[in-house]
C-alpha cells in the first residue's frame, strides 16, 4: 500500500473519536431504534460494534463501519449474502431492515443494526465437531455458489502480499535492526508465492475470514457471524483455518473429516489442497500489514501492544522461514474417496 493510503487509513481511524455515545444514540433514533440501556462495546477493532437493549426489551447490536474501507455497494453485497443464507436456513446473522434499508448514514458514519444472538464460542474439539463444522460450511457454500459478488474484492496476491509488503517496507514499527533480516526471507517467500495462480481455481463467494472465532454455538446450532471480510476466492479459503496443530498426519485426518461433512452439501476440488500453505502465507503477511496500517487507531495499540516490540518481529522472521519451508513440502493428499 502506498504512503498516501496509509495516511488515509490513519485519518479514518481518527474519525472514530467523534463517534460518541450521544452520536450513536442519535443515529439509532434516526432509524426508529431507542436504546434503553448503556452501549456495551463488543470485541471489534476494524469497526465499532455496540450491544444494547431497546425499548422492546430485546437486545440488538449496532455496527458502525470503518470509514472508506468498503463502498456502500460492497457493504450491501455483504448484507444480501447473509440474508440469502438465512432464507436458505443456513444459520447466519443478517442486518435488520429499518426505515426500508439495511445500511444507514448519519453525520458521515455508516451503520447497520443486527439482532443480538447469544451463544458460546466454538472450542477446538474432537473430529465429530469438525465434521459438523464441515457440514455447515458446505451448506454456506452451496448457497454462495448460486450467485457471484460484483463489487467485493477477490482474494489476491496483489492485496495480500504485494501491497502488504509495501506497507511493511515503510513502517516504522518494523525495527531498523531487523529490516534486512525480515525482507531477506519475506522477498523470496513472496516470489515463491507468485507461482500459485488462485484464478486457476473455481471462484465463489466466501465468508472470507472463516475461523472458530467467527462461529457461535447457540442451542447446539453452529452459527456464522461477522461477514465483514466476505469476498471471492477458492473454497479452501473458508476451510483451511479449521486445521490445527503442526503434525501433518493429524492435519490430513482433520481435513478428511472436515470434507466428509462438507461434501454432504457441496463438491470439493481436491486440487485446492495445494493452496493451503500459500493462503496461510497470505494471511500471515496481510495480518502484519493490517496492524501496521491501523496503528494510528488507539484501539489497536491497546489490543496489540506486542506488535511494537522487538521480540514480535524476531518471531515473525522465524515464522516466515518456517512458512517458506512448509511451501517446499508436497500438499496434503486426501483419501481416495475424495
Amino acid at each position: 500500500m502506498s504512503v498516501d493510503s496509509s495516511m488515509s487509513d490513519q485519518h479514518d481511524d481518527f474519525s472514530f473519536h467523534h463517534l460518541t455515545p450521544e452520536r450513536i444514540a442519535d443515529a439509532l433514533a434516526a432509524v426508529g431504534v431507542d436504546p434503553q440501556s448503556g452501549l456495551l462495546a463488543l470485541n471489534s477493532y476494524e469497526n465499532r460494534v455496540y450491544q444494547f437493549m431497546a425499548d422492546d426489551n430485546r437486545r440488538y447490536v449496532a455496527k458502525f463501519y470503518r470509514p472508506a474501507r468498503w463502498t456502500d455497494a460492497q457493504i450491501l453485497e455483504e448484507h444480501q449474502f447473509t440474508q440469502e443464507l438465512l432464507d436458505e436456513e443456513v444459520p447466519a446473522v443478517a442486518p435488520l431492515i429499518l426505515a426500508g434499508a439495511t445500511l444507514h448514514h448519519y453525520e458521515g458514519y455508516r451503520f447497520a443494526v443486527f439482532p443480538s444472538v447469544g451463544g458460546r464460542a466454538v472450542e477446538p474439539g474432537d473430529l465429530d465437531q469438525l465434521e459438523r463444522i464441515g457440514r455447515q460450511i458446505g451448506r454456506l457454500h452451496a448457497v454462495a455458489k448460486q450467485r457471484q459478488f460484483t463489487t467485493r474484492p477477490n482474494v489476491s496476491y496483489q492485496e495480500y502480499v504485494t501491497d502488504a509488503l509495501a506497507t511493511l517496507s515503510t513502517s516504522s514499527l518494523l525495527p531498523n535492526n531487523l529490516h534486512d533480516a525480515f525482507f531477506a526471507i519475506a522477498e523470496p517467500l513472496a516470489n515463491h508465492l507468485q507461482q500459485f495462480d488462485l484464478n486457476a481455481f473455481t471462484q465463489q463467494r466466501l465468508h472470507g475470514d472463516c475461523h472458530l472465532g467467527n462461529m457461535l454455538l447457540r442451542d447446539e446450532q453452529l452459527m456464522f457471524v461477522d461477514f465483514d471480510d466476505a469476498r471471492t476466492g477458492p473454497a479452501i479459503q473458508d476451510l483451511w483455518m479449521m486445521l490445527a496443530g503442526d503434525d501433518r498426519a493429524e492435519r490430513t485426518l482433520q481435513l478428511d473429516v472436515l470434507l466428509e461433512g462438507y461434501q454432504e452439501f457441496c463438491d470439493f476440488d481436491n486440487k485446492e489442497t495445494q493452496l493451503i500453505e500459500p493462503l496461510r502465507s497470505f494471511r500471515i503477511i496481510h495480518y502484519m500489514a493490517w496492524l501496521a496500517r491501523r496503528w494510528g487507531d488507539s484501539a489497536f495499540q491497546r489490543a496489540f501492544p506486542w506488535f511494537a516490540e522487538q521480540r514480535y518481529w524476531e518471531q515473525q522472521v522465524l515464522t516466515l522461514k518456517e512458512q517458506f519451508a512448509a511451501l517446499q513440502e508436497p500438499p496434503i493428499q486426501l483419501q481416495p474417496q475424495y
Side-chain angles (χ1 to χ4, degrees), residues 201-323:
F201 300 85
T202 300
Q203 303 290 297
Q204 63 168 76
R205 294 185 296 178
L206 300 168
H207 179 285
D209 192 27
C210 195
H211 55 77
L212 293 181
N214 280 334
M215 301 184 79
L216 288 176
L217 269 173
R218 185 185 187 194
D219 299 328
E220 298 309 311
Q221 186 178 56
L222 283 168
M223 174 175 291
F224 295 100
V225 299
D226 193 3
F227 284 76
D228 199 61
D229 285 305
R231 59 188 63 219
T232 296
I236 193 67
Q237 170 66 13
D238 277 352
L239 292 162
W240 73 263
M241 280 183 271
M242 299 298 164
L243 309 181
D246 297 324
D247 183 80
R248 182 181 177 88
E250 178 62 24
R251 286 188 287 115
T252 301
L253 176 60
Q254 291 172 6
L255 183 57
D256 274 331
V257 172
L258 186 68
L259 289 174
E260 185 175 344
Y262 181 88
Q263 292 187 121
E264 291 182 21
F265 297 93
C266 209
D267 291 335
F268 179 76
D269 180 359
N270 291 359
K271 294 191 295 294
E272 290 192 19
T273 61
Q274 67 186 274
L275 297 178
I276 292 176
E277 292 308 323
L279 288 171
R280 191 191 312 277
S281 302
F282 277 27
R283 186 174 179 85
I284 291 169
I285 297 169
H286 185 262
Y287 184 74
M288 289 185 284
W290 175 63
L291 291 176
R293 291 168 186 153
R294 298 293 187 248
W295 199 245
D297 184 338
S298 59
F300 279 72
Q301 296 177 30
R302 291 192 300 270
F304 311 102
W306 38 260
F307 185 69
E309 296 176 359
Q310 171 94 7
R311 60 183 177 179
Y312 168 78
W313 292 99
E314 291 172 347
Q315 181 58 51
Q316 291 308 99
V317 171
L318 294 176
T319 297
L320 294 182
K321 289 179 178 178
E322 292 170 355
Q323 197 56 33

Side-chain angles (χ1 to χ4, degrees), residues 15-290:
S15 69
F16 274 132
H17 288 301
H18 303 289
L19 189 62
T20 62
E22 293 77 17
R23 184 166 277 113
I24 294 169
D26 290 344
L28 293 171
V31 294
V33 177
D34 183 12
Q36 296 296 299
S37 67
L39 298 167
L40 175 64
L42 300 183
N43 189 26
S44 177
Y45 308 108
E46 186 68 359
N47 305 296
R48 294 296 186 266
V49 183
Y50 305 92
Q51 184 185 72
F52 60 92
M53 180 83 76
D55 55 357
D56 60 1
N57 292 321
R58 295 181 180 178
R59 293 189 182 278
Y60 296 92
V61 170
K63 174 180 178 180
F64 286 78
Y65 291 88
R66 181 172 294 274
R69 181 170 184 242
W70 298 122
T71 65
D72 284 6
Q74 289 170 330
I75 294 173
L76 289 171
E77 278 200 319
E78 172 204 337
H79 292 180
Q80 178 185 357
F81 186 25
T82 54
Q83 187 59 54
E84 287 177 45
L85 292 171
L86 278 183
D87 291 343
E88 296 292 335
E89 299 183 347
V90 178
V93 182
L96 301 172
I97 298 175
L98 301 171
T102 58
L103 180 62
H104 312 287
H105 299 75
Y106 187 82
E107 295 187 358
Y109 291 101
R110 294 173 299 170
F111 69 98
V113 180
F114 299 79
S116 177
V117 292
R120 66 181 188 275
V122 179
E123 299 291 337
D126 58 24
L127 295 178
D128 288 339
Q129 177 171 275
L130 201 58
E131 183 179 358
R132 184 181 177 192
I133 290 171
R135 284 196 294 270
Q136 288 296 71
I137 298 176
R139 294 181 64 202
L140 185 154
H141 282 188
V143 176
K145 289 181 177 181
Q146 295 174 13
R147 297 187 186 183
Q148 292 289 332
F149 287 138
T150 59
T151 64
R152 293 190 76 87
N154 287 46
V155 178
S156 70
Y157 178 90
Q158 179 69 37
E159 177 186 354
Y160 282 74
V161 180
T162 303
D163 293 348
L165 288 179
T167 292
L168 294 172
S169 69
T170 59
S171 174
S172 61
L173 294 161
L174 174 57
N176 288 333
N177 66 319
L178 289 175
H179 189 278
D180 289 349
F182 181 88
F183 281 96
I185 183 59
E187 289 177 352
L189 175 61
N191 290 336
H192 188 73
L193 289 171
Q194 282 186 299
Q195 70 179 277
F196 299 97
D197 181 9
L198 299 186
N199 291 322
F201 300 85
T202 300
Q203 303 290 297
Q204 63 168 76
R205 294 185 296 178
L206 300 168
H207 179 285
D209 192 27
C210 195
H211 55 77
L212 293 181
N214 280 334
M215 301 184 79
L216 288 176
L217 269 173
R218 185 185 187 194
D219 299 328
E220 298 309 311
Q221 186 178 56
L222 283 168
M223 174 175 291
F224 295 100
V225 299
D226 193 3
F227 284 76
D228 199 61
D229 285 305
R231 59 188 63 219
T232 296
I236 193 67
Q237 170 66 13
D238 277 352
L239 292 162
W240 73 263
M241 280 183 271
M242 299 298 164
L243 309 181
D246 297 324
D247 183 80
R248 182 181 177 88
E250 178 62 24
R251 286 188 287 115
T252 301
L253 176 60
Q254 291 172 6
L255 183 57
D256 274 331
V257 172
L258 186 68
L259 289 174
E260 185 175 344
Y262 181 88
Q263 292 187 121
E264 291 182 21
F265 297 93
C266 209
D267 291 335
F268 179 76
D269 180 359
N270 291 359
K271 294 191 295 294
E272 290 192 19
T273 61
Q274 67 186 274
L275 297 178
I276 292 176
E277 292 308 323
L279 288 171
R280 191 191 312 277
S281 302
F282 277 27
R283 186 174 179 85
I284 291 169
I285 297 169
H286 185 262
Y287 184 74
M288 289 185 284
W290 175 63

